[in-house]
Amino acid sequence: MTAKNFLYAQSGGVTPVINASAAGIMHTARQYPELGAVYAARNGIIGVLREELFDTTSMLDEQVMALRHTPGGTFGSCRYKLKGVAESRAEYERLIEVFKAHDIGIFFYNGGGDSADTAFKISQMGTQLGFPIQCIGVPKTIDNDLPITDVCPGFPTVAKYVAIATMEASLDVMSMSASSTKVFILEVMGRHAGWIAAAAGLAQRQSGDAPQLILFPEISFDQPAFLQRVQRSVTEHGYCTVVVSEGVRDDTGKFLSDSGVRDAFGHAQLGGVAPRIAALIKGELGHKCHWAVADYLQRSARHIASRVDVEQAWAVGRAAVEFAAAGESGVMPVIERVSSKPYQWRIAKAQLSAMANQEKLMPRTFIDASGFAITQACRDYLAPLIAGEDYPPYRDDGLPDYLRPGQCPLLPQKLAKWTKTE
Ligand code: F6P
């Protein structure tokens, strides 16, 4: 294989462990001296178009390892849609120009379904434009909605955070419920897929435990049945914890929490369904409610990471380099479950074309007949993913010792400025 440099880019919503995949890539690439340098795009594909590329060769090995326990996306991410070559030919030509200028032969795109689509298009267009690029996808998304892979890196840590937050907040509302708050509502992310909401169900160790109700995007919101069950829980247990997915819809398919804002991929910005549910309960049942929107707190909760998640995020990064070194292109390392009890997994290979633009929703068999709880099959799937801890190191000031962004310089630019994304 000719010595060509690697380019790594992060894409879409970040996760608590996306940097662990970056670390897996950088650490592994350093074990192959015959391969080139690893560059990292600033803010994803936008940074490639703008020729803003970090030279990670100056990062010390300890800094690479510190990425493994640092949340956020250290190099910056983006939501930016590359259209088909017919509509966006200038962008593809520019990408290839940047790849050529910096002798980049391998492109790692760390993202979800939209990013798999982008990486797939780049691999096709590179060939068509006479500069073949090995494109390797690296999976991540807290939504856990990628096809083929058993689990998406990022999801298990969010699942662990949401399950623990549900358990802890429920102990609080239980304490207050005799004279004050009777209902706690936690809103979680997940867009069209209820995986994160389902994970809150892990907090329920015995029948009657919180969360008493989960609202999934896969089940249209049945207001009378919901209110009846909230009241039943308050009557039986004195309180009620509700976990609601941001993607819950009414029976016409309309999001209860659509803010009206759309991103570059046309996805609605969601958020704010918890206060609506709280107002409904207060108005119809008269109970005092507290609510929380977990929002970016769940997506960045590296302090309570699942050990399985960190190991898998690192492993897909390492496998991406191994695939590249073996000359692969248009593929993505994915997680294959070998067994649930004991939990065993391994890396498998998927085609990017099969990963692109598809959403894996919760199977109906994972939601119980009432539509408000998870089944044992779902619990069996989820339980091993949150096992084990991987705490970040802490400093004397009591805060985690996270790597600060900006640890490496940008490469000198060689091309004319690109202003079309500004
Ligand atoms: O990456 C997935 C996700 O976290 C969704 O769960 C959420 O709806 C969305 O991203 C939020 O995206 P942004 O940070 O771009 O508003």
Side-chain angles (χ1 to χ4, degrees):
M1 190 174 140
T2 49
K4 290 254 182 138
N5 298 321
F6 296 79
L7 179 63
Y8 168 76
Q10 300 179 326
S11 173
V14 296
T15 82
V17 300
I18 188 171
N19 284 332
S21 294
I25 287 176
M26 290 161 64
H27 176 81
T28 310
R30 289 178 180 197
Q31 319 298 309
Y32 286 84
E34 70 278 18
L35 300 180
V38 179
Y39 302 143
R42 180 192 226 170
N43 300 324
I45 206 74
I46 291 180
V48 190
L49 290 166
R50 293 185 185 159
E51 203 195 353
E52 293 176 346
L53 310 180
F54 293 110
D55 181 1
T56 73
T57 53
S58 64
M59 280 176 80
L60 303 172
D61 287 344
E62 304 88 86
Q63 291 175 319
V64 171
M65 290 314 288
L67 266 182
R68 186 180 158 114
H69 63 247
T70 300
T74 285
F75 303 107
S77 189
C78 71
R79 291 204 187 272
Y80 184 79
K81 189 170 177 65
L82 274 185
K83 301 198 185 80
V85 79
E87 304 129 281
S88 308
R89 190 163 190 94
E91 285 182 328
Y92 287 101
E93 286 174 353
R94 169 69 176 189
L95 292 174
I96 301 303
E97 214 186 345
V98 172
F99 289 138
K100 270 187 193 164
H102 296 278
D103 193 24
I104 293 161
I106 299 154
F107 180 51
F108 296 117
Y109 209 23
N110 200 174
D114 296 328
S115 322
D117 180 49
T118 304
F120 179 60
K121 284 180 183 154
I122 292 173
S123 77
Q124 285 187 316
M125 295 312 156
T127 309
Q128 282 182 23
L129 296 174
F131 190 80
I133 299 282
Q134 279 176 261
C135 289
I136 315 279
V138 184
K140 68 88 224 181
T141 172
I142 65 159
D143 294 352
N144 202 37
D145 60 357
L146 286 178
I148 303 176
T149 190
D150 179 67
V151 57
C152 302
F155 168 70
T157 292
V158 175
K160 188 173 180 99
Y161 174 86
V162 163
I164 293 174
T166 299
M167 188 179 251
E168 292 177 341
S170 299
L171 291 173
D172 191 315
V173 63
M174 197 194 295
S175 322
M176 301 306 294
S177 59
S179 58
S180 180
T181 309
K182 291 201 165 28
V183 182
F184 173 68
I185 302 138
L186 175 64
E187 174 177 331
V188 299
M189 283 181 162
R191 211 175 255 152
H192 308 135
W195 297 104
I196 299 176
L202 290 173
Q204 191 180 61
R205 287 200 174 119
Q206 293 177 15
S207 157
D209 281 358
Q212 284 78 17
L213 289 161
I214 303 176
L215 298 176
F216 301 95
E218 288 86 353
I219 304 284
S220 57
F221 182 57
D222 178 345
Q223 187 172 307
F226 170 71
L227 288 171
Q228 195 189 42
R229 281 170 182 267
V230 171
Q231 184 52 50
R232 193 197 300 166
S233 175
V234 172
T235 307
E236 282 177 15
H237 308 294
Y239 77 102
C240 180
T241 294
V242 178
V243 175
V244 54
S245 167
E246 64 176 3
V248 73
R249 299 169 194 244
D250 64 19
D251 54 11
T252 67
K254 194 171 169 296
F255 288 119
L256 264 55
S257 67
D258 190 341
S259 69
V261 176
R262 297 279 176 278
D263 70 15
F265 293 90
H267 303 310
Q269 182 178 356
L270 303 176
V273 69
R276 294 189 60 173
I277 298 284
L280 176 70
I281 294 170
K282 176 77 187 148
E284 296 296 319
L285 303 175
H287 297 311
K288 182 179 173 191
C289 300
H290 267 250
W291 54 267
V293 181
D295 204 78
Y296 281 6
L297 297 179
Q298 73 204 291
R299 218 169 75 175
S300 58
R302 180 61 185 79
H303 66 285
I304 193 64
S306 143
R307 183 165 42 75
V308 166
D309 197 17
V310 177
E311 287 170 359
Q312 292 179 340
W314 172 275
V316 291
R318 185 185 58 218
V321 175
E322 289 165 356
F323 286 176
E328 300 272 3
S329 184
V331 295
M332 181 185 268
V334 293
I335 309 293
E336 185 177 293
R337 184 178 297 224
V338 178
S339 72
S340 289
K341 287 179 192 165
Y343 181 53
Q344 290 176 325
W345 57 275
R346 63 180 169 224
I347 295 288
K349 185 169 42 184
Q351 297 299 314
L352 278 182
S353 53
M355 305 292 297
N357 296 323
Q358 296 202 41
E359 284 174 321
K360 184 172 70 185
L361 304 184
M362 291 258 293
R364 190 60 184 83
T365 51
F366 278 16
I367 302 173
D368 85 353
S370 74
F372 293 113
I374 59 172
T375 59
Q376 187 59 43
C378 183
R379 191 173 292 279
D380 291 345
Y381 164 76
L382 292 171
L385 303 178
I386 68 165
E389 290 73 44
D390 185 308
Y391 297 118
Y394 280 74
R395 293 169 58 149
D396 290 346
D397 62 5
L399 299 170
D401 193 10
Y402 291 146
L403 187 74
R404 299 181 74 84
Q407 296 301 320
C408 40
L410 285 168
L411 288 171
Q413 296 190 325
K414 299 182 179 178
L415 302 171
K417 197 168 158 55
W418 176 267
T419 51
K420 300 202 175 106
T421 50
E422 279 162 15

